[in-house]
Amino acid sequence: MNQAANLWLYFAVVFGIIALPGLDMAFVMANSMLGGRRAGMAAVAGIIAGGFCHLLMGALGAAVVLQLWPQLFQYMLLGGAIYIAWMGYTFLRSSAVFTPGAAREVLAPTVIFRRAMLTSLLNPKAYIFMLAIFPQFLKPGQGPLWLQSGVLGAITAATQAAVYGALALAASQATLWFARNPAAAAWTARAIGLLLLLTAALSAAQAWKASLA
């Protein structure tokens, strides 16, 4: 396979993974609804920054460490599960969280950026991707591996910016609709809260299963 075909295949794989609903997508959507376009874009930037950290950790061998020390991966899964569960509880606690004018705090973009980055770093799927999928697209005979990693990382970041950026813009427009439909705002908050709690439960179950293996 030539280099161009390899890059297009990588893009197709990454696009499919990013487009699947998950923690990163839920975080971007929730913050876009809560704080509007600016908050949504801050969340997108944080997710992308977390992705670059994954790439750097993979390049420095952290992914190999996780593979050699499975207990560390289990601890990361549990930490991520606790953080996700806390987010889910936050949404379930207030049924008016998406209602404009409700008594809620709109976080500063810098805070959202840091939380989005933490969310990305606690996402176990990213480490699985770095261990199982990313190395398959590095071709030793097609140039320096650091340069290939940089190109693949740029493709990943651009895809995240396009998919999550579009989601942030669309979700931020929902604020006015929620103002006219408070019941829908309440059900949306509960649905996202339940989705995050389910994600937390699955992550915890995966960590428990791994500890018994």
Side-chain angles (χ1 to χ4, degrees), residues 70 73-78 81 122-128 198-213:
F73 183 70
Q74 296 166 23
Y75 295 147
M76 292 184 64
L77 283 176
L78 288 175
L122 290 176
N123 191 345
K125 291 182 180 180
Y127 294 95
I128 296 174
L198 177 61
T199 303
L202 291 175
S203 296
Q206 185 178 354
W208 175 257
K209 183 177 179 181
S211 66
L212 298 177

Side-chain angles (χ1 to χ4, degrees), residues 69-151:
W69 189 21
Q71 291 84 357
L72 180 59
F73 183 70
Q74 296 166 23
Y75 295 147
M76 292 184 64
L77 283 176
L78 288 175
I82 293 172
Y83 181 67
I84 298 167
W86 174 78
M87 290 177 58
Y89 171 74
T90 300
F91 282 101
L92 287 177
R93 186 178 59 183
S94 176
S95 60
V97 68
F98 289 142
T99 303
R104 55 175 170 79
E105 177 188 5
V106 178
L107 299 176
T110 54
V111 177
I112 295 174
F113 175 88
R114 291 196 298 268
R115 291 191 178 184
M117 191 172 177
L118 178 62
T119 299
S120 176
L121 291 174
L122 290 176
N123 191 345
K125 291 182 180 180
Y127 294 95
I128 296 174
F129 175 83
M130 290 303 300
L131 284 169
I133 299 178
F134 188 85
Q136 305 301 320
F137 292 90
L138 296 176
K139 307 300 180 182
Q142 296 183 0
L145 293 182
W146 66 266
L147 181 58
Q148 293 185 49
S149 297
V151 172

Side-chain angles (χ1 to χ4, degrees), residues 157-178:
T159 307
Q160 288 177 317
V163 174
Y164 293 149
L167 175 66
L169 292 176
S172 64
Q173 297 300 317
T175 303
L176 295 178
W177 186 78
F178 282 141

